[in-house]
Amino acid sequence: MLRALLYILPLALTIFAFIDCLNTPEDEVKHLPKVAWIFIILLFWVVGPIVWLVGGKQRHARAGGGRAARTEWVAPDDNPEFLKSLRDEKAADESLLKDREADAGRREEEQGKKKDRDEQQDGGEPGPDKS
């Protein structure tokens, strides 16, 4: 069992370091190009992953006494930019609704005027729907 652990542990460390290196953006890689780090990790399968984890990647310090900083992700109801965008969308929707209502009212007036003109041209007789 111990012999298997001596092979499995370095293999798992190599796989972890390899995937971590592949997922790391190029601007966060230190000292060497990313391709060179991949070759180091794969060729030196015990020392390479350790060197990558210690010195190959920029590590971000955690803020707040070991707690992760919440600068990137904020809940929508706590995000002022998101709340502002909702207010802006609501104002835009309300103005669009007012414009459409005004347009519908204008069209109804035009239809009524057109109907009145048609009735006057027909001799002023009321239509079947008028009494």
Side-chain angles (χ1 to χ4, degrees):
M1 182 68 175
L2 190 57
R3 286 185 194 169
L5 189 61
L6 290 174
Y7 291 104
I8 292 174
L9 189 63
L11 182 64
L13 182 65
T14 302
I15 292 171
F16 174 77
F18 179 70
I19 292 172
D20 186 44
C21 183
L22 288 176
N23 289 332
T24 301
E26 190 72 40
D27 59 337
E28 291 182 15
V29 176
K30 295 189 327 185
H31 306 296
L32 294 172
K34 193 173 179 178
V35 175
W37 279 113
I38 291 173
F39 283 122
I40 289 172
I41 291 169
L42 294 177
L43 292 177
F44 306 106
W45 67 283
V46 176
V47 179
I50 295 171
V51 173
W52 163 254
L53 293 173
V54 171
K57 178 180 178 180
Q58 291 179 354
R59 304 285 178 199
H60 301 289
R62 292 185 174 196
R67 301 173 94 187
R70 292 183 52 174
T71 57
E72 293 182 24
W73 297 99
V74 179
D77 56 343
D78 293 337
N79 188 344
E81 293 175 8
F82 177 73
L83 295 175
K84 182 182 180 299
S85 71
L86 288 179
R87 285 190 297 269
D88 293 345
E89 286 180 17
K90 183 179 177 184
D93 289 344
E94 287 176 355
S95 68
L96 182 64
L97 180 63
K98 287 179 184 178
D99 290 344
R100 287 188 178 177
E101 287 176 348
D103 188 42
R106 182 185 51 81
R107 287 183 183 182
E108 286 178 4
E109 288 178 14
E110 288 178 2
Q111 288 289 335
K113 289 178 182 177
K114 183 178 178 183
K115 188 174 183 182
D116 289 343
R117 273 187 268 136
D118 290 345
E119 287 178 359
Q120 288 176 357
Q121 288 177 355
D122 290 342
E125 297 177 12
D129 59 340
K130 290 189 177 180
S131 312

